[in-house]
Amino acid sequence: QVQLVESGGGLVQPGGSLRLSCVASGSIVSINTMGWYRQTPGKQRELVAGITSGGSTNYADSVKGRFTISRDNAKNAVYLQMNSLKPEDTAVYVCNAAKIFTRTTYVSDRWGQGTQVTVSS
């Protein structure tokens, strides 16, 4: 069973920083693109940042220059460093793996359970 588990969310003041982590577990051989999405009540889930297995990245315009996505392929992990946080960054942040290859098969579009980030004074 392949699972994604996020950690690192919490309450932070405007201008502060948080680092989110997402680790995939299971008999994993490799993972292609991984990404962080966020969702707030009444809004569609939006892509925050994505990273390919080779390290190419893309970001939502709203977070460029403030957030950095990275990954550790050996640990099957992806991270999101969030700096200069704003109240509008408040959301549930969810990790995604586009395709996870195991020793016997692959699974597509796997999501974590999400971690709450609240930016407030």
Side-chain angles (χ1 to χ4, degrees):
Q1 181 80 4
V2 175
Q3 290 185 320
L4 299 179
V5 179
E6 301 101 332
S7 61
L11 173 64
V12 64
Q13 292 188 339
S17 298
L18 281 176
R19 185 175 188 249
L20 305 183
S21 300
C22 172
V23 179
S25 62
S27 299
I28 296 170
V29 174
S30 64
I31 305 173
N32 62 0
T33 300
M34 301 186 78
W36 287 96
Y37 290 73
R38 64 187 180 188
Q39 185 151 24
T40 54
K43 283 190 173 182
Q44 279 194 327
R45 183 174 289 182
E46 65 167 342
L47 174 67
V48 176
I51 184 167
T52 68
S53 56
S56 296
T57 60
N58 65 289
Y59 296 92
D61 288 342
S62 59
V63 307
K64 281 180 183 175
R66 300 188 297 121
F67 291 10
T68 302
I69 190 171
S70 61
R71 66 188 287 170
D72 184 333
N73 292 332
K75 295 182 179 179
N76 297 318
V78 63
Y79 309 99
L80 186 67
Q81 178 66 44
M82 305 185 294
N83 299 328
S84 303
L85 282 160
K86 304 175 181 180
E88 51 264 42
D89 294 318
T90 296
V92 175
Y93 284 71
V94 188
C95 172
N96 173 266
K99 188 171 282 188
I100 300 175
F101 296 89
T102 69
R103 295 190 182 93
T104 57
T105 186
Y106 67 88
V107 292
S108 298
D109 204 25
R110 187 57 58 105
W111 296 89
Q113 83 287 352
T115 185
Q116 176 71 45
V117 171
T118 302
V119 184
S120 175
S121 55

